[in-house]
Amino acid sequence: MPLQTVLDQVCCRSVRSTTSHGAAIPSNRYRDAGVDIDAGDALVEAITPLAKSTRRIGADAQLGGFGALFDLKAAGFRDPILVATTDGVGTKLKIAIDAQRHDTVGIDLVAMCVNDLVVQGAEPLFFLDYFATGKLDVTAGRTIVGGIAEGCRQAGCALIGGETAEMPGMYAGKDYDLAGFAVGAVERNEIIDGRHVRAGDVVLGLASSGVHSNAFSLVRRVVADSGLAWSAPAPFSSGQTLAEALLTPTRIYVKSLLALSRAARTKPGLVKAMAHITGGGLVDNVPRVIPDEVTVEIDARSWTLPPVFAWLARAGKVEPSEMARVFNCGIGMVVITGEAEANEAARLLAAGGETVHRIGRVAARAGRDGCAISGLETWRS
């Protein structure tokens, strides 16, 4: 499983130093160019136990090789289709960097990938990460990868590989970036693709844990305009600093949705489609998983807009219609179920730890957009 440090592959600039006699001494040492191989090795040693803690059937999460193996047969699959996703954390990382709080962004990274897998009925199997920075800080790096490992444990997938790139000149100061790659599998006859969604079906919304990991360029602009420091008390969350509140990690819905999908093997109407509510909000994400002949009618009055979104709307002067296209607004996942099965689906999801709202219905499209939201006026403060 390769989690070795991968250093920048550009030619090193020759560094020159001077002796006490004033003679110039050429030096080509990699460390002088800003790349510390020893620090990379130290990080691999520090994170090896974290990767091992994510072991699951099919993967042993061992470090050190050039490629990682996964045994689909050992994992119990008969006729699997592989599903792959990739994503990042976005400019939420800037808050983590500025506030020097790195423990949760790894969870965000995993969540953004595995939540995209599970909506198709796929079980996340393994995860790889890419961590790039200008100067490697082993302590911060271990904390970041610790969050990735925690996300993998929550999702039930193995952290089987990754790369750490130390690239001076590409990233300034303590800046870094993260990207993630997840692979899952679903039996061929159990893929959830929305083809059976019909008018009359019920739309369930699962509560989000906050802003999740989208639209942080706007969030940061609102904070900057407000004049608040990251260490200031959060205006919308008692007992937390602004940074702590906004860094609340993205909720991982994998276990509850997999349980629902497995129950649907004997009762297919339990889940006909699912949508992960990321960039584009409810307005853009729900239409991605329904047929062209239907639309989803959502009532914004069916759940309470969480305080963080109410504050962002008020402080940023963001109109309700834009809020619905930019943020998840308290609904991080949508599940479409048959009308006769809706109560049972809601019960199963609640048993899996989700807060479930019945937020709308599916109707004939009749020339309308794929998602219509009523009651948005109630979001005005």
Side-chain angles (χ1 to χ4, degrees), residues 191-208:
I191 297 172
I192 298 170
D193 58 13
R195 71 176 66 183
H196 299 299
V197 173
R198 298 290 183 269
D201 288 342
V202 173
V203 182
L204 302 177
L206 309 187
S208 67

PDB file of all heavy atoms in Angstrom, residues 191-208:
ATOM      1  N   ILE A 191     -27.936  -1.564  -8.567  1.00  0.00           N
ATOM      2  CA  ILE A 191     -27.560  -0.169  -8.800  1.00  0.00           C
ATOM      3  C   ILE A 191     -28.784   0.725  -8.651  1.00  0.00           C
ATOM      4  O   ILE A 191     -29.871   0.420  -9.157  1.00  0.00           O
ATOM      5  CB  ILE A 191     -26.967   0.004 -10.212  1.00  0.00           C
ATOM      6  CG1 ILE A 191     -25.678  -0.811 -10.341  1.00  0.00           C
ATOM      7  CG2 ILE A 191     -26.706   1.473 -10.514  1.00  0.00           C
ATOM      8  CD1 ILE A 191     -25.129  -0.859 -11.753  1.00  0.00           C
ATOM      9  N   ILE A 192     -28.617   1.822  -7.938  1.00  0.00           N
ATOM     10  CA  ILE A 192     -29.698   2.811  -7.765  1.00  0.00           C
ATOM     11  C   ILE A 192     -29.430   3.950  -8.743  1.00  0.00           C
ATOM     12  O   ILE A 192     -28.446   4.680  -8.608  1.00  0.00           O
ATOM     13  CB  ILE A 192     -29.737   3.325  -6.315  1.00  0.00           C
ATOM     14  CG1 ILE A 192     -30.022   2.169  -5.358  1.00  0.00           C
ATOM     15  CG2 ILE A 192     -30.794   4.426  -6.160  1.00  0.00           C
ATOM     16  CD1 ILE A 192     -29.854   2.526  -3.897  1.00  0.00           C
ATOM     17  N   ASP A 193     -30.300   4.083  -9.734  1.00  0.00           N
ATOM     18  CA  ASP A 193     -30.052   5.082 -10.778  1.00  0.00           C
ATOM     19  C   ASP A 193     -31.243   5.990 -11.057  1.00  0.00           C
ATOM     20  O   ASP A 193     -31.204   6.806 -11.982  1.00  0.00           O
ATOM     21  CB  ASP A 193     -29.620   4.402 -12.077  1.00  0.00           C
ATOM     22  CG  ASP A 193     -30.639   3.389 -12.594  1.00  0.00           C
ATOM     23  OD1 ASP A 193     -31.779   3.378 -12.089  1.00  0.00           O
ATOM     24  OD2 ASP A 193     -30.287   2.621 -13.507  1.00  0.00           O
ATOM     25  N   GLY A 194     -32.306   5.892 -10.264  1.00  0.00           N
ATOM     26  CA  GLY A 194     -33.434   6.803 -10.394  1.00  0.00           C
ATOM     27  C   GLY A 194     -34.417   6.480 -11.496  1.00  0.00           C
ATOM     28  O   GLY A 194     -35.427   7.172 -11.654  1.00  0.00           O
ATOM     29  N   ARG A 195     -34.177   5.415 -12.254  1.00  0.00           N
ATOM     30  CA  ARG A 195     -35.041   5.136 -13.403  1.00  0.00           C
ATOM     31  C   ARG A 195     -36.479   4.785 -13.011  1.00  0.00           C
ATOM     32  O   ARG A 195     -37.392   4.915 -13.821  1.00  0.00           O
ATOM     33  CB  ARG A 195     -34.453   4.003 -14.240  1.00  0.00           C
ATOM     34  CG  ARG A 195     -34.525   2.628 -13.592  1.00  0.00           C
ATOM     35  CD  ARG A 195     -34.007   1.553 -14.507  1.00  0.00           C
ATOM     36  NE  ARG A 195     -32.571   1.714 -14.749  1.00  0.00           N
ATOM     37  CZ  ARG A 195     -31.887   0.918 -15.574  1.00  0.00           C
ATOM     38  NH1 ARG A 195     -32.501  -0.042 -16.236  1.00  0.00           N
ATOM     39  NH2 ARG A 195     -30.589   1.103 -15.720  1.00  0.00           N
ATOM     40  N   HIS A 196     -36.682   4.354 -11.746  1.00  0.00           N
ATOM     41  CA  HIS A 196     -38.027   3.951 -11.319  1.00  0.00           C
ATOM     42  C   HIS A 196     -38.777   5.060 -10.564  1.00  0.00           C
ATOM     43  O   HIS A 196     -39.863   4.819 -10.039  1.00  0.00           O
ATOM     44  CB  HIS A 196     -37.938   2.705 -10.430  1.00  0.00           C
ATOM     45  CG  HIS A 196     -37.334   1.523 -11.134  1.00  0.00           C
ATOM     46  ND1 HIS A 196     -37.890   0.958 -12.258  1.00  0.00           N
ATOM     47  CD2 HIS A 196     -36.196   0.821 -10.868  1.00  0.00           C
ATOM     48  CE1 HIS A 196     -37.144  -0.055 -12.663  1.00  0.00           C
ATOM     49  NE2 HIS A 196     -36.109  -0.161 -11.836  1.00  0.00           N
ATOM     50  N   VAL A 197     -38.207   6.249 -10.507  1.00  0.00           N
ATOM     51  CA  VAL A 197     -38.889   7.371  -9.857  1.00  0.00           C
ATOM     52  C   VAL A 197     -40.131   7.739 -10.669  1.00  0.00           C
ATOM     53  O   VAL A 197     -40.080   7.873 -11.898  1.00  0.00           O
ATOM     54  CB  VAL A 197     -37.952   8.584  -9.727  1.00  0.00           C
ATOM     55  CG1 VAL A 197     -38.709   9.809  -9.219  1.00  0.00           C
ATOM     56  CG2 VAL A 197     -36.782   8.253  -8.796  1.00  0.00           C
ATOM     57  N   ARG A 198     -41.256   7.914  -9.961  1.00  0.00           N
ATOM     58  CA  ARG A 198     -42.519   8.230 -10.603  1.00  0.00           C
ATOM     59  C   ARG A 198     -43.234   9.345  -9.849  1.00  0.00           C
ATOM     60  O   ARG A 198     -42.980   9.577  -8.653  1.00  0.00           O
ATOM     61  CB  ARG A 198     -43.434   6.992 -10.620  1.00  0.00           C
ATOM     62  CG  ARG A 198     -42.901   5.812 -11.406  1.00  0.00           C
ATOM     63  CD  ARG A 198     -42.898   6.096 -12.905  1.00  0.00           C
ATOM     64  NE  ARG A 198     -42.463   4.938 -13.660  1.00  0.00           N
ATOM     65  CZ  ARG A 198     -41.201   4.686 -14.009  1.00  0.00           C
ATOM     66  NH1 ARG A 198     -40.242   5.541 -13.646  1.00  0.00           N
ATOM     67  NH2 ARG A 198     -40.890   3.611 -14.695  1.00  0.00           N
ATOM     68  N   ALA A 199     -44.147  10.016 -10.520  1.00  0.00           N
ATOM     69  CA  ALA A 199     -44.994  11.018  -9.857  1.00  0.00           C
ATOM     70  C   ALA A 199     -45.717  10.357  -8.701  1.00  0.00           C
ATOM     71  O   ALA A 199     -46.208   9.230  -8.812  1.00  0.00           O
ATOM     72  CB  ALA A 199     -45.983  11.608 -10.851  1.00  0.00           C
ATOM     73  N   GLY A 200     -45.781  11.060  -7.571  1.00  0.00           N
ATOM     74  CA  GLY A 200     -46.400  10.521  -6.366  1.00  0.00           C
ATOM     75  C   GLY A 200     -45.409   9.995  -5.356  1.00  0.00           C
ATOM     76  O   GLY A 200     -45.756   9.793  -4.184  1.00  0.00           O
ATOM     77  N   ASP A 201     -44.156   9.767  -5.771  1.00  0.00           N
ATOM     78  CA  ASP A 201     -43.126   9.323  -4.830  1.00  0.00           C
ATOM     79  C   ASP A 201     -42.836  10.427  -3.805  1.00  0.00           C
ATOM     80  O   ASP A 201     -43.119  11.609  -4.037  1.00  0.00           O
ATOM     81  CB  ASP A 201     -41.840   8.964  -5.562  1.00  0.00           C
ATOM     82  CG  ASP A 201     -41.961   7.667  -6.354  1.00  0.00           C
ATOM     83  OD1 ASP A 201     -42.886   6.888  -6.070  1.00  0.00           O
ATOM     84  OD2 ASP A 201     -41.129   7.449  -7.260  1.00  0.00           O
ATOM     85  N   VAL A 202     -42.281  10.027  -2.685  1.00  0.00           N
ATOM     86  CA  VAL A 202     -42.037  10.932  -1.564  1.00  0.00           C
ATOM     87  C   VAL A 202     -40.556  11.290  -1.486  1.00  0.00           C
ATOM     88  O   VAL A 202     -39.680  10.452  -1.723  1.00  0.00           O
ATOM     89  CB  VAL A 202     -42.502  10.284  -0.246  1.00  0.00           C
ATOM     90  CG1 VAL A 202     -42.096  11.137   0.966  1.00  0.00           C
ATOM     91  CG2 VAL A 202     -44.011  10.080  -0.263  1.00  0.00           C
ATOM     92  N   VAL A 203     -40.283  12.553  -1.146  1.00  0.00           N
ATOM     93  CA  VAL A 203     -38.909  13.037  -1.014  1.00  0.00           C
ATOM     94  C   VAL A 203     -38.582  13.214   0.460  1.00  0.00           C
ATOM     95  O   VAL A 203     -39.234  13.989   1.169  1.00  0.00           O
ATOM     96  CB  VAL A 203     -38.719  14.375  -1.758  1.00  0.00           C
ATOM     97  CG1 VAL A 203     -37.267  14.839  -1.647  1.00  0.00           C
ATOM     98  CG2 VAL A 203     -39.121  14.232  -3.220  1.00  0.00           C
ATOM     99  N   LEU A 204     -37.580  12.488   0.927  1.00  0.00           N
ATOM    100  CA  LEU A 204     -37.102  12.604   2.307  1.00  0.00           C
ATOM    101  C   LEU A 204     -35.784  13.377   2.307  1.00  0.00           C
ATOM    102  O   LEU A 204     -34.928  13.165   1.435  1.00  0.00           O
ATOM    103  CB  LEU A 204     -36.888  11.229   2.927  1.00  0.00           C
ATOM    104  CG  LEU A 204     -38.092  10.284   2.968  1.00  0.00           C
ATOM    105  CD1 LEU A 204     -37.674   8.923   3.553  1.00  0.00           C
ATOM    106  CD2 LEU A 204     -39.227  10.884   3.784  1.00  0.00           C
ATOM    107  N   GLY A 205     -35.601  14.244   3.285  1.00  0.00           N
ATOM    108  CA  GLY A 205     -34.361  14.985   3.433  1.00  0.00           C
ATOM    109  C   GLY A 205     -33.663  14.588   4.716  1.00  0.00           C
ATOM    110  O   GLY A 205     -34.305  14.533   5.782  1.00  0.00           O
ATOM    111  N   LEU A 206     -32.377  14.295   4.640  1.00  0.00           N
ATOM    112  CA  LEU A 206     -31.583  13.944   5.818  1.00  0.00           C
ATOM    113  C   LEU A 206     -30.785  15.160   6.247  1.00  0.00           C
ATOM    114  O   LEU A 206     -30.132  15.814   5.418  1.00  0.00           O
ATOM    115  CB  LEU A 206     -30.647  12.776   5.510  1.00  0.00           C
ATOM    116  CG  LEU A 206     -31.274  11.535   4.862  1.00  0.00           C
ATOM    117  CD1 LEU A 206     -30.256  10.403   4.787  1.00  0.00           C
ATOM    118  CD2 LEU A 206     -32.520  11.086   5.605  1.00  0.00           C
ATOM    119  N   ALA A 207     -30.841  15.466   7.526  1.00  0.00           N
ATOM    120  CA  ALA A 207     -30.206  16.682   8.047  1.00  0.00           C
ATOM    121  C   ALA A 207     -28.703  16.679   7.803  1.00  0.00           C
ATOM    122  O   ALA A 207     -28.031  15.644   7.899  1.00  0.00           O
ATOM    123  CB  ALA A 207     -30.492  16.822   9.529  1.00  0.00           C
ATOM    124  N   SER A 208     -28.181  17.849   7.488  1.00  0.00           N
ATOM    125  CA  SER A 208     -26.731  18.026   7.362  1.00  0.00           C
ATOM    126  C   SER A 208     -26.141  18.374   8.722  1.00  0.00           C
ATOM    127  O   SER A 208     -26.874  18.675   9.678  1.00  0.00           O
ATOM    128  CB  SER A 208     -26.420  19.139   6.359  1.00  0.00           C
ATOM    129  OG  SER A 208     -26.848  20.398   6.860  1.00  0.00           O
TER     130      SER A 208
END
